[in-house]
């Protein structure tokens, strides 16, 4: 059976993302955890390119790997954190609880996904339900169905962000302003009174 | 690739993030696990957007990234402020409000 390049890429990115995620959670040194998270973010950007979302992939790398993770590394090095110490109290109880919880969670999600895709409702019926609700975004080019590669282009996303989603866009900028002010106020050195 | 493969990957990444939040004591690693959970949900959104050929998923991912950036800035400022007082980032040692 022929295996397409998309399948190869999917399994590659999935393997890298999952392995790097597990290593991030497991490693004792917080700097290594941050670096493994960066690798996970790059694998996710690869997923976005596979899913016809090149703009989201580029913004993902610039914002997450380029700004947020750099901020994490700044703080880790500013606080001069060493490796987490191995000895801690109540470790076994916490690990058992966490393992049980995560297993239950994964079984639940797996059952949900399996149930939703093996029922009589086909994917096309779900799609028609959604499209019938009057979504303004399908059929971007004069009512003709868009070819799937161009749907995630920067022009389309920009058009929607500045017309249909203008209010959330402006609120997002106000949110960022509030975050900037909050971060500066919180991290300011307190004056001795 | 069928949609359920992407959703399954997203679910497993989310579960790994949950495990990180529950198992680690270092506040910064807990924060990074929260970021991993947010990214798993982003993957779900983009997968649905590609499957139903609808752009709303990708636009919502844009806003999730804005919120994540704002949250990281404020959260790390909080961690730095706490570290300045308590000299520790381990969450089980920051228990001043507990009797």
């Amino acid at each position: 059976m022929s295996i397409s390049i998309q399948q190869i890429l999917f399994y590659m990115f999935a393997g890298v993302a999952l392995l790097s995620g597990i290593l991030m959670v497991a490693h004792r040194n917080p700097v290594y955890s941050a670096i493994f998270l960066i690798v996970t973010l790059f694998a996710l950007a690869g997923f976005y390119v596979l899913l016809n979302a090149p703009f989201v992939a580029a913004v993902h790398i610039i914002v997450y790997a380029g700004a947020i993770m750099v901020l994490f590394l700044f703080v880790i090095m500013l606080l001069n954190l060493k490796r987490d110490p191995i000895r801690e109290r109540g470790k076994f109880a916490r690990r058992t609880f966490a393992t049980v919880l995560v297993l239950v969670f994964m079984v639940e999600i797996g059952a949900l996904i399996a149930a939703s895709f093996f029922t009589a409702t086909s994917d096309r019926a779900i799609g028609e339900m959604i499209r019938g609700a009057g979504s303004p975004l399908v059929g971007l080019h004069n009512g003709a169905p868009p070819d799937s590669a161009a749907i995630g282009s920067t022009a389309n996303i920009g058009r929607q962000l500045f017309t249909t989603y203008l209010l959330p866009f402006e609120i997002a900028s106000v949110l960022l302003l509030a975050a900037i002010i909050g971060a500066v106020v919180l991290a300011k050195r307190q004056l001795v009174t | 690739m069928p949609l359920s493969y992407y959703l399954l990957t997203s679910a497993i990444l989310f579960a790994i993030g949950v495990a990180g939040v529950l198992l680690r004591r270092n506040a910064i690693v807990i924060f990074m696990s929260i970021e991993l959970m947010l990214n798993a949900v982003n993957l779900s959104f983009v997968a649905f957007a590609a499957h139903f050929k609808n752009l709303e998923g990708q636009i919502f991912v844009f806003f999730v990234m804005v919120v994540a950036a704002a949250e990281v800035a404020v959260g790390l400022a909080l961690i730095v402020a706490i570290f300045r007082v308590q000299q520790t980032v381990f969450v089980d040692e920051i228990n001043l409000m507990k009797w």
Side-chain angles (χ1 to χ4, degrees):
Chain A
M1 113 179 166
S2 68
I3 186 163
S4 67
I5 185 71
Q6 286 204 332
Q7 281 183 310
I8 298 177
L9 281 175
F10 173 81
Y11 286 121
M12 205 173 75
F13 288 135
V16 168
L18 293 177
L19 182 66
S20 179
I22 293 177
L23 284 173
M24 177 205 94
V25 163
H27 209 281
R28 293 278 138 214
N29 192 338
V31 176
Y32 279 79
S33 289
I35 292 182
F36 283 130
L37 184 59
I38 293 178
V39 173
T40 311
L41 295 174
F42 272 101
L44 283 173
F47 272 134
Y48 296 156
V49 171
L50 273 180
L51 287 167
N52 299 320
F55 177 72
V56 171
V59 168
H60 182 88
I61 292 186
I62 293 173
V63 167
Y64 262 114
I68 293 180
M69 292 315 299
V70 169
L71 192 58
F72 265 111
L73 282 168
F74 272 172
V75 170
I76 292 174
M77 294 182 185
L78 177 73
L79 304 181
N80 202 9
L81 297 174
K82 305 289 196 303
R83 293 172 62 95
D84 286 2
I86 306 232
R87 190 154 52 122
E88 38 177 297
R89 301 168 303 166
K91 188 158 89 160
F92 182 70
R94 173 155 24 102
R95 282 209 176 164
T96 320
F97 169 71
T99 311
V100 165
L101 213 65
V102 169
L103 280 177
V104 164
F105 177 76
M106 284 190 61
V107 163
E108 228 179 279
I109 295 249
L112 278 175
I113 293 180
S116 68
F117 283 93
F118 292 145
T119 56
T121 310
S122 67
D123 290 346
R124 202 211 319 215
I126 298 177
E128 275 166 13
M129 267 198 306
I130 292 185
R131 269 176 224 128
S135 162
L137 293 164
V138 182
L140 293 160
H141 310 286
N142 310 325
D147 54 332
S148 47
I151 193 167
S153 70
T154 312
N156 285 336
I157 292 189
R159 193 173 301 130
Q160 291 307 320
L161 268 181
F162 286 115
T163 54
T164 318
Y165 293 100
L166 183 59
L167 182 61
F169 184 75
E170 300 298 331
I171 293 178
S173 59
V174 174
L175 173 73
L176 284 173
L177 178 67
I180 290 173
I181 296 176
V184 167
V185 164
L186 279 171
K188 204 168 63 161
R189 196 168 287 277
Q190 306 296 326
L191 294 175
V192 177
T193 56
Chain B
M1 295 299 300
L3 176 65
S4 52
Y5 284 31
Y6 284 104
L7 293 186
L8 206 60
T9 311
S10 162
I12 297 178
L13 274 175
F14 192 87
I16 294 174
V18 169
V21 168
L22 292 174
L23 286 174
R24 296 299 301 260
R25 293 161 62 224
N26 195 333
I28 296 188
V29 178
I30 292 178
F31 213 171
M32 287 197 280
S33 304
I34 295 176
E35 289 302 311
L36 185 60
M37 286 198 266
L38 281 171
N39 276 295
V41 170
N42 278 352
L43 177 61
S44 274
F45 271 122
V46 176
F48 276 120
H51 181 76
F52 293 123
K53 300 207 178 16
N54 195 346
L55 207 56
E56 288 181 6
Q58 296 183 15
I59 292 182
F60 204 81
V61 166
F62 185 81
F63 289 117
V64 170
M65 280 188 203
V66 166
V67 168
E71 162 206 5
V72 165
V74 174
L76 286 178
L78 267 175
I79 291 179
V80 166
I82 292 179
F83 183 84
R84 211 174 266 151
V85 173
Q86 295 279 61
Q87 298 303 316
T88 180
V89 289
F90 295 119
V91 291
D92 51 355
E93 297 172 15
I94 305 172
N95 54 0
L96 264 182
M97 287 205 282
K98 193 171 72 169
W99 279 108

